[in-house]
């Protein structure tokens, strides 16, 4: 690699690791660092010396990241808000579609009686999945994981205070998310969804059996399939939102 | 001379504000000027000056502008804002007080 290319690569790495959300500011920093090396180096030996004098790349990138940390945090919160809103909207849409009933004689559309409970469970699963998704993101970050799990716990606590009946649903949803997360590591994509639906159905069946609530295997399978659809739609949304978020910080061509 | 990193922490800001109180400079020029005035005793890792400059610019202490330098090449020049001038003066006084106290403790031979 030519010295000039090595310097350009070094600058690109620093700019990328600085997590600066504004393209104009990234370009400005790149141009500033480039002019620094332009002046600091004349010959190849000078260039190598300039790179050495410049200091540790990771340390400088980290210091720059600190400078722009709040911009990053704001974008990250916006990303989470977008993921939550879009995923809940998709989950509710799925629940509405499967719970919509038509009374032909009266020509009335109405939602099945169990809609609100099913919708509540779907929303809880969505929130749990987003929590696991962010907490387990690589590279693993202990503070991020603690914050998202704490936020999920706060939501659970708020539900506990507002709707006493919602606690059982949240516990069920949390266990379903655990099962779903475990299943998502098992098999490749199409069979993974099948395993996930079966696991959800089995968990719901056992849960209702333990609570002495009538819930046949076919109903459990249906409910598992619906939750599987909610899970899949949330995963698709999270991937899209993640890609959009990553694009904000992508380095631009110099 | 190699200094402890902790020892230099906080001095970069004072140094930048003091140099920019005299005139506008760009990053590399600040590093060179610090080295020249300290007879190369104070040689910063050059890259460390940029996070400090950006932080101070975001805090409203500095304003930056791209313009051609003496060699005709465009450089990003930093200058103090009114807030930066007040901060520079305050830091200079703090530094004078601390260095005076240190001199008194260590003795003139070690200061």
């Amino acid at each position: 690699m030519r010295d000039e290319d090595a310097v350009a690569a070094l600058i690109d790495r620093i700019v990328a690791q600085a997590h600066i959300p504004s393209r104009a500011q990234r370009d400005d920093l790149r141009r500033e660092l480039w002019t620094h090396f332009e002046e600091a180096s004349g010959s190849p030996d000078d260039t190598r010396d300039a790179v050495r004098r410049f200091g540790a790349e990771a340390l400088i990138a980290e210091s720059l990241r600190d400078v722009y940390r709040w911009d990053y945090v704001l974008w990250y919160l916006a990303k989470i808000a977008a993921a939550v809103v879009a995923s809940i909207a998709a989950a509710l849409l799925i629940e509405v579609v499967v719970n919509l009933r038509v009374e032909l004689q009266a020509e009335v559309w109405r939602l099945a009686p169990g809609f609100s409970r099913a919708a509540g469970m779907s929303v809880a699963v969505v929130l749990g999945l987003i929590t696991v998704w962010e907490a387990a993101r690589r590279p693993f970050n202990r503070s991020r994981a603690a914050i998202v799990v704490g936020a999920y716990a706060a939501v659970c606590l708020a539900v506990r205070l507002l709707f006493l009946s919602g606690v059982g649903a949240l516990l069920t949803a949390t266990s379903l998310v655990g099962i779903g997360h475990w299943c998502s590591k098992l098999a490749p994509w199409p069979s993974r969804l099948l395993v996930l639906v079966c696991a959800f159905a089995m968990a719901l069946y056992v849960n209702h059996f333990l609570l002495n609530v009538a819930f046949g295997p076919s109903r459990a399978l249906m409910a598992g399939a619906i939750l599987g659809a909610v899970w899949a739609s949330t995963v698709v949304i999270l991937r899209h939102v993640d890609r959009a978020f990553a694009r904000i910080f992508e380095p631009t061509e110099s | 001379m190699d200094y402890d990193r902790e020892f230099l922490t906080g001095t970069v800001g004072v140094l930048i504000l003091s140099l920019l109180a005299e005139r506008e400079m760009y990053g590399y020029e600040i590093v060179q000027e610090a080295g020249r005035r300290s007879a190369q005793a104070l040689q910063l890792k050059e890259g460390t000056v940029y996070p400090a400059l950006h932080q101070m610019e975001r805090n409203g202490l500095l304003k930056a502008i791209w313009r051609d330098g003496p060699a005709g090449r465009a450089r990003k020049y930093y200058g103090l804002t009114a807030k930066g001038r007040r901060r520079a003066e305050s830091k200079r006084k703090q530094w004078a007080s601390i260095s005076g106290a240190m001199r008194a403790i260590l003795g003139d031979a070690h200061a």
Side-chain angles (χ1 to χ4, degrees):
Chain A
M1 190 187 271
R2 290 184 308 139
D3 290 308
E4 199 172 284
D5 294 338
V7 167
L10 169 71
I11 292 172
D12 276 347
R13 286 197 301 275
I14 290 173
V15 173
Q17 289 168 48
H19 286 170
I20 303 171
S22 151
R23 173 181 285 217
Q25 284 175 327
R26 282 198 301 271
D27 289 346
D28 188 75
L29 174 63
R30 181 179 288 106
R31 188 179 170 203
E32 186 176 23
L33 296 182
W34 187 251
T35 58
H36 172 97
F37 283 106
E38 234 177 25
E39 185 148 347
S41 49
S43 67
D45 281 346
D46 287 348
T47 305
R48 280 187 282 275
D49 194 40
V51 169
R52 188 185 52 72
R53 281 187 279 117
F54 195 70
E57 172 189 332
L59 195 69
I60 292 158
E62 191 190 332
S63 304
L64 283 164
R65 207 157 46 236
D66 284 341
V67 174
Y68 295 94
R69 186 170 300 282
W70 280 107
D71 299 32
Y72 182 85
V73 168
L74 286 177
W75 276 102
Y76 182 75
L77 291 176
K79 179 196 97 152
I80 298 292
V84 168
V85 169
S87 303
I88 287 178
L92 291 178
L93 187 66
I94 291 169
E95 289 293 350
V96 165
V97 168
V98 296
N99 282 288
L100 207 56
R101 304 283 184 271
V102 187
E103 288 179 8
L104 288 174
Q105 287 171 335
E107 290 186 350
V108 175
W109 295 75
R110 65 177 181 79
L111 292 167
F115 169 74
S116 55
R117 188 172 297 171
M121 176 64 75
S122 288
V123 169
V125 166
V126 163
L127 294 178
L129 174 53
I130 293 173
T131 302
V132 170
W133 185 274
E134 290 303 322
R137 173 184 302 288
R138 289 183 186 178
F140 180 74
N141 182 309
R142 203 177 296 172
S143 339
R144 183 184 54 217
I147 288 168
V148 291
V149 171
Y152 181 70
V155 169
C156 290
L157 190 67
V159 170
R160 164 85 173 82
L161 294 172
L162 293 172
F163 319 96
L164 286 173
S165 58
V167 178
L170 270 169
L171 286 175
T172 309
T174 305
S175 56
L176 286 174
V177 168
I179 291 168
H181 184 62
W182 179 71
C183 287
S184 64
K185 295 172 186 298
L186 285 181
W189 167 239
S191 44
R192 186 190 307 160
L193 192 58
L194 197 65
V195 172
L196 187 78
V197 167
C198 292
F200 279 165
M202 207 176 292
L204 288 170
Y205 181 79
V206 170
N207 183 254
H208 284 82
F209 180 77
L210 292 174
L211 293 170
N212 268 331
V213 178
F215 202 71
S218 57
R219 221 174 133 196
L221 197 61
M222 182 59 150
I226 295 166
L227 280 182
V230 167
W231 184 280
S233 72
T234 306
V235 167
V236 169
I237 288 167
L238 287 174
R239 285 196 180 136
H240 273 85
V241 172
D242 272 359
R243 269 201 287 271
F245 182 67
R247 270 201 295 272
I248 294 170
F249 299 96
E250 262 174 17
T252 43
E253 291 302 313
S254 48
Chain B
M1 181 174 180
D2 288 333
Y3 298 97
D4 287 343
R5 202 181 146 204
E6 300 92 78
F7 198 71
L8 282 176
T9 304
T11 61
V12 175
V14 183
L15 190 148
I16 290 171
L17 288 171
S18 303
L19 289 175
L20 293 181
E22 296 173 16
R23 61 184 165 91
E24 292 186 344
M25 290 184 200
Y26 52 91
Y28 185 71
E29 191 181 9
I30 291 170
V31 175
Q32 293 301 302
E33 193 63 16
R36 190 183 66 77
R37 292 199 193 182
S38 66
Q40 307 305 324
L42 197 60
Q43 287 184 314
L44 300 171
K45 283 290 180 191
E46 294 173 1
T48 59
V49 81
Y50 294 100
L53 286 168
H54 282 231
Q55 183 68 69
M56 286 192 267
E57 189 187 0
R58 282 174 77 85
N59 291 345
L61 301 175
L62 308 182
K63 59 183 184 313
I65 187 166
W66 282 93
R67 67 158 196 264
D68 287 343
R73 285 191 284 203
R75 296 280 177 260
K76 190 179 180 183
Y77 280 86
Y78 291 89
L80 294 183
T81 60
K83 186 180 172 187
R85 286 201 181 281
R86 287 194 297 274
R87 183 69 61 87
E89 185 54 27
S90 156
K91 290 276 185 190
R92 200 190 59 75
K93 282 180 183 162
Q94 284 178 45
W95 192 258
S97 164
I98 290 168
S99 65
M102 288 302 289
R103 214 174 286 131
I105 293 167
L106 299 175
D108 279 342
H110 296 93

